[in-house]
Amino acid sequence: MTESAIISTLLAFLQRSDSSDDDFNQLALEIFAYQFAHNQPYRRFAIQRGRTPLTVQHWRNIPAIPITAFKDFTLSCGPIEAMQTVFMTSGTTGTVKGRSYHPTLDVWQCSMMLNFRQRFMAGVDRIRMGILFPDTVAMPNSSLATYLALAVQAFGTPASEVMVGEHGLDVERVFAALEQAENSGEPYALLGASYSFVPLLDEMQRQQRRFSLPAGSRILDTGGFKGQSREVAAEAFYTSLANAFGIPRAQCINMYGMTEISTQFYDEGNEICPPVKSGPHWIRTRVVNPLTGDDMPDGEVGVLVHHDLAHFNSVSALLTEDAGVIVPGGFHLLGRVTGADAKGCSLTMEDFLAAAQVNP
């Protein structure tokens, strides 16, 4: 398949209400063949693993690359100078950042909007939003900034605002918007990185401020704390959000996503932690032993592998560094891997480095 054919096929596939295992498998194999042909580091790795389009008959056997490979290699099926957008992973100053190349954002945007409408908007066309994260002018290579900007554009009311500027979070502006929502009875949504909520909660506690937002209001957090704020355990975090804003924990939704894929996972709120995460029909998740790549039995902890058809220009199968367990309806996300699983991820990366070196 050509790039344009894959894009057209994916846009139609994403807009279906569901897909069978056979349909997912067929498209996954076609995209694997495309990536095998055009992404040379990945091709070398796949060959080293004995996996080629001639030998792989099921998507579960498509080799998954370790997430850290995005920092060391250009993983793109097309020339990077022709890419419309490059998303870069967050990181501290001086660290090498992973890059994800997109020849078009049509598929990425379609994936985000279909999924967001179903999982966060829950039948509401538009809601007033307060964004606790910088905009795309400040962070043009941030997939999260782009995600939030698209959320406002497609699903926010005209009164929606980005509450972070060059001087950081504008707490008084947030308070004014929350007061207005509280007085008007209009549902309100706060969205941002998980760490963005911590200084807001701290300032509310310092000023002894609390709000009781109208029914239908909701919160979306994502990304953990990443050293940007103090760490807060999930149970305490969602209890604090519910108490501070008067929003039930069932309406405090966590989005789990990453730069290295093009689709996000959501839960149905955090009334119970950990909640069940799940994605749409164009992404599938396995829990594996990172040393062997074999699936772990349901209910046993391993490392998450995501197979995202929407991430067509790079590699669709991604070995994360996140621990998880398959449960009915999706998976539990249990944090970063440790111990033997972490060692297994490192060894997989060593294999990738050895196999995927680009010859002069």
Side-chain angles (χ1 to χ4, degrees):
M1 296 178 73
T2 63
E3 178 186 279
S4 60
I6 285 177
I7 292 170
S8 297
T9 299
L10 276 170
L11 290 174
F13 189 85
L14 267 56
Q15 293 179 70
R16 294 167 54 171
S17 59
D18 203 352
S19 61
S20 68
D21 290 341
D22 287 343
D23 289 341
F24 182 92
N25 190 60
Q26 179 180 344
L27 186 51
L29 294 176
E30 290 173 352
I31 292 174
F32 172 53
Y34 175 76
Q35 293 170 346
F36 184 89
H38 298 286
N39 188 330
Q40 294 306 309
Y42 181 51
R43 175 189 177 96
R44 292 186 178 94
F45 177 65
I47 291 174
Q48 187 264 350
R49 290 285 167 114
R51 309 286 178 87
T52 74
L54 294 176
T55 63
V56 173
Q57 301 299 314
H58 195 274
W59 68 268
R60 288 179 177 272
N61 296 321
I62 293 172
I65 63 162
I67 192 169
T68 50
F70 281 84
K71 295 181 180 181
D72 294 286
F73 292 91
T74 299
L75 296 169
S76 175
C77 290
I80 59 175
E81 59 271 15
M83 295 296 111
Q84 175 184 322
T85 302
V86 180
F87 289 140
M88 298 171 63
T89 57
S90 58
T92 56
T93 303
T95 61
V96 177
K97 296 186 177 184
R99 289 172 169 79
S100 187
Y101 298 93
H102 297 265
T104 172
L105 280 185
D106 288 352
V107 174
W108 189 94
Q109 290 174 337
C110 182
S111 172
M112 181 274 173
M113 291 174 63
L114 290 170
N115 204 14
F116 189 91
R117 178 182 288 113
Q118 179 182 0
R119 302 301 297 274
F120 186 74
M121 296 303 294
V124 176
D125 289 334
R126 290 189 176 271
I127 189 170
R128 184 178 178 186
M129 296 180 180
I131 306 299
L132 309 182
F133 198 77
D135 62 19
T136 54
V137 174
M139 301 185 70
N141 298 114
S142 165
S143 58
L144 180 55
T146 303
Y147 167 97
L148 293 170
L150 185 56
V152 171
Q153 176 187 330
F155 304 106
T157 68
S160 299
E161 302 173 88
V162 175
M163 304 294 192
V164 176
E166 59 179 328
H167 300 297
L169 179 65
D170 190 338
V171 173
E172 293 307 317
R173 192 174 172 190
V174 177
F175 286 174
L178 294 173
E179 285 179 357
Q180 185 176 11
E182 195 175 43
N183 294 330
S184 70
E186 177 189 5
Y188 192 81
L190 279 172
L191 301 87
S194 305
Y195 61 77
S196 302
F197 287 88
V198 176
L200 179 59
L201 291 169
D202 288 347
E203 184 61 22
M204 290 176 68
Q205 184 175 23
R206 190 185 71 81
Q207 294 190 27
Q208 297 186 327
R209 298 288 298 269
R210 291 179 65 183
F211 296 92
S212 182
L213 292 175
S217 298
R218 63 204 67 179
I219 287 173
L220 183 141
D221 77 288
T222 181
F225 303 99
K226 298 183 178 180
Q228 300 293 319
S229 72
R230 60 184 175 86
E231 293 281 336
V232 184
E235 192 70 34
F237 180 66
Y238 291 109
T239 295
S240 295
L241 290 178
N243 290 339
F245 303 108
I247 294 177
R249 282 178 50 165
Q251 298 301 316
C252 296
I253 297 164
N254 177 263
M255 183 273 278
Y256 166 53
M258 55 193 70
T259 302
E260 297 87 355
I261 56 176
S262 294
T263 301
Q264 298 81 36
F265 298 92
Y266 298 87
D267 51 47
E268 300 296 331
N270 279 267
E271 193 168 8
I272 298 174
C273 296
V276 178
K277 293 279 195 296
S278 60
H281 67 85
W282 57 87
I283 191 167
R284 304 287 170 97
T285 296
R286 302 164 56 211
V287 172
V288 306
N289 178 325
L291 283 172
T292 65
D294 294 335
D295 286 2
M296 300 293 290
D298 288 0
E300 292 193 18
V301 177
V303 180
L304 295 174
V305 169
H306 304 307
H307 199 111
D308 181 14
L309 300 186
H311 207 61
F312 68 92
N313 183 64
S314 179
V315 178
S316 291
L318 179 72
L319 173 67
T320 72
E321 294 180 340
D322 296 324
V325 57
I326 296 294
V327 297
F331 60 90
H332 284 158
L333 177 64
L334 303 177
R336 284 302 184 98
V337 296
T338 58
D341 282 343
K343 182 178 180 181
C345 292
S346 296
L347 291 174
T348 303
M349 185 59 196
E350 290 177 13
D351 289 345
F352 189 91
L353 287 169
Q357 296 293 337
V358 178
N359 294 325

